[in-house]
């Protein structure tokens, strides 16, 4: 899709690179993480009511027609479950230094924290606060307890076995009746204010872009809500009607029409760029 001229609306001096939006075949998208079934169910309900895709998922171009899904696994899974074959995505370049990879931490309940320490999944060993690590490898994750103690969890060697071990840990606190609360910090006092019943915070070890790519290439998956891609210019509020994605038209024609929609929104002054961090209260 040829991008429209750069816009500086709301951005201060200098042109702003316009994000690349495109329509792709969903079966060409490679997942690197599991989905959160509770969020998927809520998204299917919301999409069915709104009849529009509000925020495009983020992907990176792979060789050929394939795309690596960076952010939006639950949105793509919801579209799949609704029988939609095409998706609107924002395409980034994986090796772009401005595209950074961070991680989320998970707040878990008391019963889940206690069960994880007392009966960890097979092959995963909890290491008490202050105990020496005989493996020399980074822990799979660290559990911060409300009293300030830290329990490290040691796992197997190798990227895919470690990804599988992380999924085993995640299944202990992401069952259907437990809400997955993701936070980007490890401040226990702040967690107490917003999660008075919390039993611990799971802090995951860092993952690299290359590791994410290798996991996806091997058809493996990390747990839901662990990787956090920080996109330099994220598109929000595009609100593409689902009827557009469901039209029985060739992909090339949908891409042509999308280019027209994007150009029309720029021409009508409906596109704004905000350089400052933003809180979204109705995502």
């Amino acid at each position: 899709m040829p991008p429209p001229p750069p816009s500086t609306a709301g951005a201060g001096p200098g042109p702003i690179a316009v994000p690349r939006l495109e329509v792709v075949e969903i079966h060409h998208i490679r997942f690197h993480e599991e989905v959160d079934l509770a969020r998927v169910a809520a998204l299917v309900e919301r999409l069915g009511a709104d009849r529009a895709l509000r925020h495009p998922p983020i992907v990176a171009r792979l060789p050929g027609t394939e795309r690596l899904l960076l952010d939006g696994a639950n949105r793509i899974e919801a579209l799949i479950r609704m029988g939609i074959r095409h998706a609107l995505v924002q395409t980034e370049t994986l090796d772009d230094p401005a595209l950074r990879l961070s991680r989320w931490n998970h707040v878990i309940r008391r019963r889940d924290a206690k069960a994880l320490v007392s009966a960890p999944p097979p092959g995963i060993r909890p290491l008490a606060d202050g105990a020496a690590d005989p493996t020399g490898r980074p822990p799979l994750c660290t559990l911060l307890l409300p009293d300030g103690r830290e329990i490290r969890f040691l796992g197997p060697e190798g990227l895919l076995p470690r990804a599988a071990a992380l999924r085993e840990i995640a299944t202990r606190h992401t069952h259907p009746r437990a809400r997955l609360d993701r936070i980007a910090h490890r401040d226990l006092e702040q967690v107490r204010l917003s999660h008075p019943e919390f039993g611990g915070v799971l802090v995951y070890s860092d993952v690299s872009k290359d590791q994410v790519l290798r996991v996806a290439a091997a058809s493996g998956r990390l747990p839901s809500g662990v990787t956090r891609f920080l996109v330099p210019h994220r598109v929000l509020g595009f609100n593409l009607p689902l009827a557009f994605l469901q039209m029985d038209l060739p992909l090339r024609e949908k891409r042509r029409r999308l280019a027209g929609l994007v150009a029309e929104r720029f021409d009508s002054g409906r596109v704004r760029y905000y350089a400052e961090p933003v809180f979204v209260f109705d995502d």
Side-chain angles (χ1 to χ4, degrees):
M1 180 190 81
S7 169
T8 58
I16 301 301
V18 177
R20 181 181 179 86
L21 294 171
E22 59 180 347
V23 180
V24 299
E25 297 272 4
I26 283 184
H27 70 268
H28 288 161
I29 297 176
R30 283 186 174 269
F31 286 72
H32 80 270
E33 63 177 344
E34 296 284 5
V35 299
D36 181 341
L37 293 177
R39 290 176 185 261
V40 170
L43 278 168
V44 169
E45 184 175 346
R46 179 189 292 180
L47 287 168
D50 295 346
R51 302 305 301 168
L53 181 64
R54 297 173 64 189
H55 310 315
I58 311 295
V59 302
R61 185 180 296 277
L62 295 176
T65 58
E66 292 198 326
R67 302 290 186 271
L68 173 64
L69 184 57
L70 306 181
D71 181 75
N74 295 323
R75 276 167 281 167
I76 293 296
E77 181 67 23
L79 292 177
I80 292 172
R81 294 184 179 221
M82 296 175 74
I84 298 175
R85 298 185 299 108
H86 294 149
L88 170 69
V89 297
Q90 177 179 339
T91 301
E92 299 291 324
T93 302
L94 192 60
D95 59 4
D96 181 356
L99 177 70
R100 297 185 291 120
L101 176 56
S102 182
R103 54 171 165 69
W104 294 105
N105 303 323
H106 292 171
V107 180
I108 64 176
R109 303 183 306 176
R110 290 194 183 102
R111 69 176 70 173
D112 295 326
K114 186 177 296 185
L116 187 58
V117 174
S118 62
I124 297 173
R125 175 186 169 193
L127 200 62
D129 198 358
D133 179 0
T135 69
R137 295 191 296 269
L140 294 168
C141 57
T142 300
L143 177 63
L144 308 182
L145 296 173
D147 60 9
R149 288 181 298 136
E150 299 186 3
I151 307 295
R152 287 168 290 164
F153 289 89
L154 309 182
E157 193 171 6
L159 181 61
L160 292 180
R162 286 175 68 84
L166 283 171
R167 293 198 305 272
E168 287 295 325
I169 290 175
T171 57
R172 299 299 181 92
H173 66 274
T174 56
H175 45 83
R177 290 184 300 277
R179 193 180 74 180
L180 175 57
D181 287 323
R182 298 178 290 183
I183 59 174
H185 61 86
R186 48 184 294 167
D187 185 333
L188 294 185
E189 290 306 315
Q190 187 173 339
V191 174
R192 284 190 181 93
L193 291 175
S194 53
H195 300 81
E197 299 300 319
F198 90 101
V201 176
L202 272 177
V203 178
Y204 295 91
S205 295
D206 290 332
V207 179
S208 70
K209 293 181 187 178
D210 179 66
Q211 288 173 323
V212 167
L213 182 59
R214 287 162 51 201
V215 166
S219 299
R221 291 198 187 185
L222 294 165
S224 173
V226 171
T227 55
R228 179 180 177 228
F229 278 91
L230 305 175
V231 183
H233 303 117
R234 183 185 291 265
V235 174
L236 296 175
F238 195 87
N239 293 317
L240 183 71
L242 293 187
F244 181 97
L245 298 174
Q246 293 171 313
M247 286 189 298
D248 187 19
L249 291 174
L251 191 60
R252 179 179 299 178
E253 176 61 17
K254 288 186 179 181
R255 288 176 172 173
R256 188 190 69 79
R257 295 191 183 193
L258 174 65
L261 288 175
V262 172
E264 185 275 329
R265 294 195 187 187
F266 272 94
D267 290 342
S268 62
R270 295 165 61 191
V271 179
R272 300 288 293 177
Y273 171 72
Y274 297 95
E276 68 270 28
V278 174
F279 283 90
V280 179
F281 277 78
D282 186 23
D283 193 23

